[in-house]
Amino acid sequence: MAKQKAAAGTPATVALTALGLPFTAHPYEHDPSAPSFGLEAAEALGVEPDRVFKTLLADTDLGLVVGVVPVTGMLDLKALAAAVGAKRAAMADPAVAERRTGYVVGGISPIGQKSRHVTVVDETAQLFDTVFVSGGKRGFDVELSPADLLTATAGRYAPIAK
């Protein structure tokens, strides 16, 4: 993977470039009628769905938390709460998620968010040399190493998918 110039990139690509982290940009034709943004990305990019991760925001008693899980699974809210030391977690309101991240639902990247949030990446990301996450808009993913994803988000691994 070569470093990409982020001339007029998304906040995610700008952040990755500023941090000097290598990534590969993967734009694809987004179908607004697709039932799952993540599975659509995996199919459009021709990669195994377990390597494509979705970004979800949860509201906890400690504030908003970002959970990054494979598109083939679901976020385990109890496990996410436990991973951050919270008592409870519920999915954040989509309007709040958009406002706090600066991204639209279906294009929320864990990287370069408007507000910094505690981020937890499902431990299965470590099984792959590279993973795919939203690059900050629908129809655009970035590929990077799981370690670089943690660096870019100041995140940590935990078993948060079911």
Side-chain angles (χ1 to χ4, degrees):
M1 291 183 302
K3 287 186 184 177
Q4 301 288 317
K5 274 231 187 266
T10 66
T13 61
V14 169
L16 289 168
T17 301
L19 291 167
L21 297 173
F23 67 95
T24 303
H26 291 280
Y28 60 92
E29 191 64 39
H30 167 62
D31 176 2
S33 67
S36 166
F37 296 117
L39 292 175
E40 174 197 25
E43 186 176 328
L45 299 173
V47 297
E48 55 198 283
D50 289 342
R51 285 181 59 203
V52 180
F53 284 69
K54 57 188 170 185
T55 305
L56 302 166
L57 267 75
D59 194 5
T60 74
D61 48 304
L62 302 176
L64 286 180
V65 174
V66 174
V68 183
V69 297
V71 301
T72 53
M74 295 175 56
L75 177 61
D76 182 334
L77 291 165
K78 281 187 175 183
L80 180 65
V84 299
K87 293 180 183 154
R88 60 156 190 86
M91 291 305 297
D93 179 89
V96 171
E98 289 182 344
R99 195 169 44 254
R100 292 289 299 274
T101 63
Y103 296 117
V104 298
V105 169
I108 294 178
S109 179
I111 304 161
Q113 295 183 356
K114 198 160 113 178
S115 301
R116 181 70 94 162
H117 299 99
V118 172
T119 301
V120 182
V121 177
D122 186 64
E123 64 185 1
T124 59
Q126 299 171 89
L127 299 173
F128 306 102
D129 292 334
T130 61
V131 294
F132 294 75
V133 297
S134 174
K137 61 183 179 181
R138 294 175 185 157
F140 180 62
D141 273 22
V142 291
E143 177 184 6
L144 71 168
S145 75
D148 287 343
L149 176 58
L150 286 193
T151 298
T153 61
R156 63 188 114 163
Y157 295 120
I160 60 166
K162 59 180 178 178

